[in-house]
């Protein structure tokens, strides 16, 4: 499905600012928002020892203190079965009602304040013909007031899927080693942990009702709009930077599927060749995994229902030495039925969130300016060329790094644009290096002098870039309208 949120519109306040800038270059860097939760100060009880800990109510007066916990033993059947597997077709119902009982049975502790709720969201056209499929968004909320430091969840390590445990379980044969080598030879060489979670999801899917995680898997979405799930039509509706990130996710999926053919018989041949299944398993992993402090990658059932909060989060997730997971509130919440939120990634990179998770974070305070430099030099990197620093802010601000990089490039263009060997060329080259050295040594006065001298040139370049972005978005919007009028909505 193509939703209107795929088209990233540059804030008009930025355009107005660009066309009304005077001679002043007073464009301070707006500080980036960051999360710096210090577990040893907010949650001192988690530092006590490495022994197995329970979800202990906070000492605060929060009413969110009642803990539900029961534990049953489960056994896993190693033989895959084609019976009672989950229906992952788009539009198949998600079983949310059984999830709480399942969580209790495997030892997950939840505070009374924790509740899963649903809301309808836009979905795709049915490939079966005509109608729209209704997809539910399921997320965690607090149903009562919550004080800072209140316990929300405890998930025992036995219930958590990790890449390390998955590799130990599944990599006991030469075929799996061959799959590793195949993956390492591709652009997915750094996604081996995610690959083992991918294998684990496929294995548990094939186990059907014999899987310990069957109920949790049956609660997960069937429809995804992340980059790996998009069609060629979708990519054509995105600006180049966002489209590039989305296409990269599609390529990662293709690499996973190629490596999957090497894993041997612990997965069925039918499952390894099922395009819908592999796309679903890839999406499950890449929209739900988290990175643990020790570098391991994990999927934590129940905690994976926390929504993205960008710069405004309510929950801190931590782990003890045994790998048990804890979720505590990070601030006072005085509005019941509020979503409980964590941060999925850099809130100033909504294009990444769209490609990885399939949504556009409209609360992002800023976004990458889309000035793309292939193979940036060491000098450009030192000047601040990075997607997380080259920012256009929602309020119309422009980060200092944008101005620095543009000026350095402009000085370089004037040097490289002439081959006459004229003394002026040497002077321009000297100025480029002087500007760079002023940045490196912290000589702000000299930097400011260069910015004032060349402000008309850098402003002109920036205006051209913004004009290009606006024109590009207009063309994408027009193309999308034409395609939709012709009845094309991106469903293959």
């Amino acid at each position: 499905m193509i939703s209107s949120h795929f088209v990233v519109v540059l804030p008009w306040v930025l355009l107005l600012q660009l066309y009304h800038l005077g001679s002043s270059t007073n464009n301070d860097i707006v500080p980036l928002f960051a999360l710096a939760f210090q577990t040893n100060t907010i949650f001192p009880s988690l530092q006590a020892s490495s022994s197995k800990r329970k979800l202990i109510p906070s000492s605060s007066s929060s009413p969110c203190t009642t803990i539900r916990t029961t534990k049953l033993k489960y056994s896993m059947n190693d033989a895959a079965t084609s019976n009672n597997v989950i229906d992952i077709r788009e539009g198949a119902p998600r079983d949310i009602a059984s999830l709480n009982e399942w969580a209790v049975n495997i030892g997950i502790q939840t505070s009374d304040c924790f509740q899963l709720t649903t809301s309808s969201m836009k979905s795709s056209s049915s490939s079966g013909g005509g109608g729209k499929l209704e997809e539910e968004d399921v997320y965690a909320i607090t149903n009562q007031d919550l004080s800072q430091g209140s316990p929300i969840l405890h998930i025992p390590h036995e219930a958590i899927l990790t890449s390390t445990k998955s590799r130990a379980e599944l990599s006991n044969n030469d075929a799996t080693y061959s799959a590793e080598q195949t993956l390492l030879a591709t652009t997915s060489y750094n996604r081996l942990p995610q690959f083992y979670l991918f294998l684990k999801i496929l294995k548990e899917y094939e186990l059907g009702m014999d899987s310990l995680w069957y109920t949790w898997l049956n609660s997960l979405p069937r429809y995804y709009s992340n980059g790996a799930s998009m069609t060629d039509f979708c990519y054509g509706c995105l600006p180049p930077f966002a489209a590039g990130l989305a296409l990269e996710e599609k390529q990662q999926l293709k690499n996973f599927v190629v490596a999957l053919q090497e894993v041997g018989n612990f997965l069925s041949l039918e499952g390894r060749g099922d395009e819908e299944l592999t796309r679903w398993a890839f999406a499950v992993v890449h929209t739900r995994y988290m990175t643990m402090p020790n570098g391991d990658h994990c999927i934590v059932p129940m905690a994976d229902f926390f929504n993205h909060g960008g710069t405004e989060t309510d929950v801190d997730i931590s782990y003890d030495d045994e790998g048990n997971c804890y979720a505590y509130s990070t601030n006072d919440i005085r509005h019941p039925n509020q979503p409980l939120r964590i941060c999925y990634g850099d809130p100033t990179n909504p294009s990444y969130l769209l490609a990885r998770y399939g949504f556009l974070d409209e609360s992002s305070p800023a976004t990458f300016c889309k000035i793309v430099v292939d193979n940036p030099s060491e000098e450009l990197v030192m000047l601040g060329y990075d997607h997380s620093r080259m920012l256009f802010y929602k309020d119309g601000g422009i980060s200092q790094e944008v101005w620095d990089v543009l000026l350095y490039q402009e000085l370089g263009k004037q040097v490289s644009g002439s081959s006459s060997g004229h003394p002026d060329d040497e002077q321009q080259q000297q100025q480029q290096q002087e500007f760079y050295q002023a940045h490196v040594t912290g000589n702000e006065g000299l930097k400011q002098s260069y910015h004032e001298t060349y402000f008309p040139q850098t402003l002109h370049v920036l205006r051209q870039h913004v004009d290009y972005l606006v024109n590009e978005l207009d063309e994408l919007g027009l193309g999308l309208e034409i395609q939709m009028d012709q009845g094309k909505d991106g469903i293959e």
Side-chain angles (χ1 to χ4, degrees):
M1 181 200 77
I2 300 297
S3 299
S4 59
H5 64 233
F6 282 0
V7 180
V8 184
V9 180
L10 193 69
W12 286 108
V13 65
L14 172 60
L15 307 183
L16 293 175
Q17 176 168 323
L18 286 174
Y19 282 94
H20 291 86
L21 282 173
S23 59
S24 172
T25 58
N26 184 22
N27 292 280
D28 296 330
I29 303 174
V30 181
L32 296 178
F33 293 87
L35 300 178
F37 299 128
Q38 299 297 323
T39 305
N40 60 340
T41 57
I42 300 179
F43 310 120
S45 63
L46 299 185
Q47 305 296 319
S49 70
S50 62
S51 61
K52 189 171 183 178
R53 303 176 180 89
K54 298 297 183 183
L55 181 61
I56 303 173
S58 167
S59 59
S60 68
S61 59
S62 169
C64 180
T65 55
T66 304
I67 309 300
R68 302 185 293 272
T69 177
T70 305
K71 199 162 188 175
L72 301 179
K73 292 185 179 291
Y74 278 73
S75 62
M76 290 187 60
N77 185 344
D78 290 333
T81 175
S82 60
N83 297 323
N84 300 313
V85 294
I86 296 165
D87 183 358
I88 62 169
R89 293 174 299 177
E90 289 186 9
R94 302 170 61 178
D95 182 7
I96 306 301
S98 303
L99 196 56
N100 283 330
E101 181 180 358
W102 170 83
V104 169
N105 286 342
I106 66 169
I108 294 177
Q109 302 174 51
T110 62
S111 296
D112 276 348
C113 64
F114 181 85
Q115 179 182 327
L116 295 180
T117 190
T118 63
S119 63
S120 297
M121 57 182 289
K122 295 179 180 179
S123 187
S124 64
S125 296
S126 170
S127 56
K132 290 285 183 179
L133 296 176
E134 188 80 2
E135 180 75 15
E136 287 186 328
D137 183 24
V138 183
Y139 54 95
I141 65 170
T142 174
N143 57 25
Q144 54 189 263
D145 290 350
L146 204 58
S147 296
Q148 179 180 345
S150 297
I152 299 172
L153 286 176
H154 165 261
I155 302 93
H157 66 88
E158 297 91 346
I160 300 174
L161 297 90
T162 73
S163 56
T164 298
K165 290 190 294 186
S166 298
R167 189 180 191 215
E169 174 189 346
L170 303 174
S171 65
N172 56 357
N173 56 63
D174 293 339
T176 309
Y177 174 78
S178 178
E180 279 193 20
Q181 298 308 303
T182 298
L183 197 69
L184 290 173
T186 70
T187 55
S188 300
Y189 65 90
N190 60 345
R191 293 204 192 187
L192 196 59
Q194 293 92 322
F195 180 69
Y196 274 103
L197 287 174
F198 173 72
L199 294 182
K200 180 64 173 175
I201 294 297
L202 291 172
K203 176 66 175 176
E204 297 304 321
Y205 168 85
E206 289 198 345
L207 286 172
M209 296 187 71
D210 290 328
S211 169
L212 175 65
W213 290 274
Y214 174 84
T215 303
W216 169 73
L217 288 170
N218 202 22
S219 73
L220 300 182
R222 273 55 165 178
Y223 169 76
Y224 291 90
S225 56
N226 59 331
S229 302
M230 292 181 187
T231 66
D232 291 341
F233 176 84
C234 300
Y235 303 128
C237 295
L238 293 174
F241 180 71
L245 294 177
L247 282 166
E248 174 61 23
E249 292 301 302
K250 176 73 83 174
Q251 183 59 53
Q252 297 292 336
L253 170 59
K254 292 178 179 178
N255 294 342
F256 274 38
V257 171
V258 170
L260 181 62
Q261 310 313 309
E262 305 286 340
V263 299
N265 294 328
F266 76 81
L267 287 175
S268 70
L269 186 62
E270 179 183 6
R272 282 180 278 162
D274 189 329
E275 181 180 349
E276 183 178 38
L277 173 60
T278 53
R279 183 172 61 245
W280 176 78
F282 184 92
V284 168
V285 170
H286 285 83
T287 59
R288 307 187 95 78
Y289 85 83
M290 295 182 281
T291 304
M292 302 173 73
N294 63 4
D296 203 357
H297 292 60
C298 67
I299 301 177
V300 186
M302 302 303 281
D304 60 338
F305 285 97
F306 291 130
N307 260 356
H308 172 68
T311 60
E312 298 180 0
T313 61
D314 315 289
V315 179
D316 175 73
I317 295 178
S318 58
Y319 306 85
D320 63 20
D321 294 340
E322 295 179 2
N324 303 303
C325 178
Y326 303 85
Y328 280 74
S329 60
T330 58
N331 49 50
D332 294 336
I333 299 176
R334 294 293 178 255
H335 302 286
N337 301 319
Q338 176 176 313
L340 294 168
R341 302 163 298 177
I342 59 176
C343 183
Y344 290 4
D346 182 1
T348 66
N349 194 352
S351 296
Y352 163 80
L353 295 173
L354 175 61
R356 176 61 59 86
Y357 297 97
F359 68 88
L360 183 65
D361 182 10
E362 297 182 1
S363 69
S364 295
T367 184
F368 173 51
C369 67
K370 310 302 186 296
I371 297 175
V372 178
V373 179
D374 295 328
N375 301 317
S377 65
E378 181 180 346
E379 289 81 4
L380 284 180
V381 174
M382 286 294 295
L383 285 165
Y385 185 81
D386 185 272
H387 293 171
S388 66
R389 300 174 65 187
M390 298 277 290
L391 303 175
F392 287 161
Y393 289 90
K394 183 179 289 187
D395 63 1
I398 304 168
S399 69
Q400 185 63 46
E401 287 85 348
V402 173
W403 295 107
D404 289 347
V405 166
L406 287 179
L407 177 53
Y408 182 82
Q409 287 183 309
E410 186 63 20
L411 291 172
K413 287 178 182 177
Q414 295 189 41
V415 173
S416 62
S418 173
S419 58
S420 63
H422 193 277
D424 287 346
D425 297 340
E426 295 182 4
Q427 182 181 6
Q428 289 288 344
Q429 187 173 18
Q430 181 181 359
Q431 288 181 333
Q432 186 189 41
Q433 289 304 311
E434 282 184 352
F435 174 74
Y436 174 72
Q437 290 300 322
H439 173 80
V440 172
T441 59
N443 189 341
E444 294 299 325
L446 183 56
K447 273 187 65 177
Q448 183 67 17
S449 175
Y450 270 107
H451 276 299
E452 291 175 354
T453 300
Y454 289 97
F455 179 69
Q457 290 92 326
T458 52
L459 178 60
H460 175 70
V461 172
L462 190 56
R463 279 178 172 172
Q464 286 184 319
H465 175 65
V466 172
D467 286 341
Y468 167 76
L469 291 179
V470 173
N471 182 65
E472 187 174 70
L473 291 173
D474 287 342
E475 290 181 356
L476 288 171
L478 179 60
L480 178 59
E481 289 180 7
I482 294 174
Q483 295 283 354
M484 297 297 285
D485 289 342
Q486 294 175 351
K488 300 178 182 180
D489 62 356
I491 299 299
E492 295 179 333

